[in-house]
Amino acid sequence: MTAPIYMDYNATAPIRTSVIDAVTDAMRVVGNPSSVHAAGRSARKLVEEARTKVAALAGCRIRDVTFCSGGTEANNAAIRGAGAASVIVSAIEHDSALAAAKLAGVPMFVCGVDSDGVINQDQLRALLAESPSPALVSVMLANNETGVIQPVQEIAQIVHEFGACLHTDAVQAAGKINIDFNALGADYLTLSSHKLGGPQGVGAIITAPTAPLAPLIAGGGQELARRSGTENVAGIVGFGVAALEAMDDLGEVPRIAAMRDRFEAAVSDHTNTACIIGRAVPRTPNTSCVAMPGVKGETQVMHFDLNGICLSSGSACSSGKVKVSHVLSAMGYDEETAYASIRVSLGRMTQDSDVNALITAWKSLYGRTTDRPIA
Ligand code: PLP
């Protein structure tokens, strides 16, 4: 049996062999990084080496990296721990940011996006003017479904004009575009290891030197009391290795973008009824969100799966009910289009032959189902 073609990097990236080796070695190191004896110091050294690597990926100071359990926790930590009097989130944030905003215990406002999925800056200004101050604004750097990149630098300027703070979820941007925390001007930034080819269950919240962060998890005071709990040493080591390699992989961006563009060109050459979402604005190089009219996303996912290709649908299944994507709804797509969308996300292992198989499978489904009622 041949291995499936994996095109779901935005869900999780295949773990790197070097990461598996480093994690395995780290698991053999005995010691709690908080212990002062030699064994503890060995574990601490591993954690601090990884912190240096993650700081390099984020473009921030080493001490501003706080390790935690992943992107979900980092989003919760920033949004609920910033001590803001109100929270403004963009309508296309990841569920973890939207849910954290609801739990923050202060008034919550949602800022819309345009039809390309880019935040409406006039509405953001209006919300900042009317929301209790200081506000915490959360706008992701790149969207997980469409890859659309937000002008975070411009957004940071607006946010700071109003004396508010900015959090940006960079989970889907890291390793795909260059990240420079200082240049972005955000006060908080979220990273997740497993989107970079590191282990699952580890991530980081990056904080600007002046940004307050009340701990979400209190206890023994680890991570400068920002996040208590004995550090996941092996996971953190793997995250560090993945962070460094992901930076090197930025050289692969033109190759990956060319494959994504070739897929999209094949779709639009084949038909003008398919809709390539977010195509008109800057996107991460690996992501393509495509609606095939009349064919439900889950039907498409099954078809690709039968053809040995792993990818995602735009809609999500929760509690047995298919939920339309809140991202595509916020962009103004009707339910029919939103339900008919899939997400292809390529990565470092993707080859041209994989894209050929994707194009063939896409065309064969389109040829079979077009002009039929929704499957
Ligand atoms: N933010 C974004 C944009 C994501 O795509 C994800 C994961 O899909 C997360 C946050 C959550 O990260 P984690 O899986 O590490 O909790």
Side-chain angles (χ1 to χ4, degrees), residues 193-219:
S193 149
H194 72 103
K195 312 289 183 177
L196 304 168
Q200 295 168 346
V202 58
I205 173 78
I206 313 296
T207 42
T210 51
L213 189 70
L216 193 64
I217 300 179

Side-chain angles (χ1 to χ4, degrees), residues 266-303:
V267 166
S268 33
D269 286 351
H270 193 67
T271 170
N272 57 13
T273 65
C275 179
I276 298 173
I277 291 157
R279 198 183 198 180
V281 291
R283 285 178 296 163
T284 46
N286 75 318
T287 307
S288 182
C289 182
V290 180
M292 184 190 285
V295 191
K296 281 184 187 159
E298 312 91 86
T299 309
Q300 297 185 53
V301 169
M302 278 187 274
H303 167 82

Side-chain angles (χ1 to χ4, degrees), residues 10-12 69-75 92-97 140-145 169-173 176 190-195 199-203 343:
N10 288 9
T12 197
S69 71
T72 298
E73 184 185 328
N75 282 348
I92 55 154
E93 294 303 300
H94 187 262
D95 280 338
S96 56
M140 68 203 321
L141 188 47
N143 184 265
N144 42 304
E145 292 184 33
D169 175 346
V171 164
Q172 294 291 346
K176 296 169 189 154
T190 289
L191 293 174
S192 173
S193 149
H194 72 103
K195 312 289 183 177
Q200 295 168 346
V202 58
R343 176 188 70 189

Side-chain angles (χ1 to χ4, degrees), residues 252-263 285 346 352 355:
E252 280 277 276
V253 161
R255 186 184 76 85
I256 293 172
M259 288 190 291
R260 188 270 312 270
D261 293 346
R262 188 161 71 80
F263 163 62
L346 313 179
D352 266 323
V355 178

Side-chain angles (χ1 to χ4, degrees), residues 37-280:
H37 48 58
R41 291 198 305 275
S42 307
R44 168 62 49 202
K45 186 163 174 278
L46 293 180
V47 170
E48 296 315 318
E49 280 169 4
R51 199 184 309 279
T52 307
K53 293 170 186 165
V54 172
L57 173 76
C60 68
R61 299 191 317 178
I62 295 163
R63 61 180 281 115
D64 297 334
V65 176
T66 301
F67 288 118
C68 64
S69 71
T72 298
E73 184 185 328
N75 282 348
N76 273 270
I79 294 170
R80 296 163 67 184
S86 59
V87 176
I88 302 172
V89 282
S90 90
I92 55 154
E93 294 303 300
H94 187 262
D95 280 338
S96 56
L98 295 172
K102 283 187 196 145
L103 283 178
V106 293
M108 171 191 172
F109 303 86
V110 178
C111 185
V113 295
D114 64 18
S115 57
D116 290 318
V118 179
I119 192 162
N120 179 333
Q121 295 190 10
D122 292 336
Q123 194 190 353
L124 178 62
R125 281 180 182 281
L127 288 172
L128 279 161
E130 76 184 44
S131 56
S133 194
L136 184 271
V137 176
S138 187
V139 177
M140 68 203 321
L141 188 47
N143 184 265
N144 42 304
E145 292 184 33
T146 61
V148 168
I149 296 170
Q150 299 296 329
V152 166
Q153 237 172 329
E154 281 171 33
I155 293 167
Q157 271 178 13
I158 298 173
V159 166
H160 291 149
E161 264 174 46
F162 286 84
C165 278
L166 178 67
H167 164 247
T168 189
D169 175 346
V171 164
Q172 294 291 346
K176 296 169 189 154
I177 58 172
N178 186 45
I179 297 185
D180 183 339
F181 182 62
N182 289 325
L184 283 174
D187 302 282
Y188 305 88
L189 182 142
T190 289
L191 293 174
S192 173
S193 149
H194 72 103
K195 312 289 183 177
L196 304 168
Q200 295 168 346
V202 58
I205 173 78
I206 313 296
T207 42
T210 51
L213 189 70
L216 193 64
I217 300 179
Q222 288 89 346
E223 295 295 284
L224 302 175
R226 292 175 187 144
R227 202 282 188 180
S228 285
T230 301
E231 294 89 340
N232 169 5
V233 177
I236 288 170
V237 166
F239 183 14
V241 172
L244 269 201
E245 289 197 6
M247 284 169 72
D248 288 346
D249 284 356
L250 286 174
E252 280 277 276
V253 161
R255 186 184 76 85
I256 293 172
M259 288 190 291
R260 188 270 312 270
D261 293 346
R262 188 161 71 80
F263 163 62
E264 293 185 347
V267 166
S268 33
D269 286 351
H270 193 67
T271 170
N272 57 13
T273 65
C275 179
I276 298 173
I277 291 157
R279 198 183 198 180

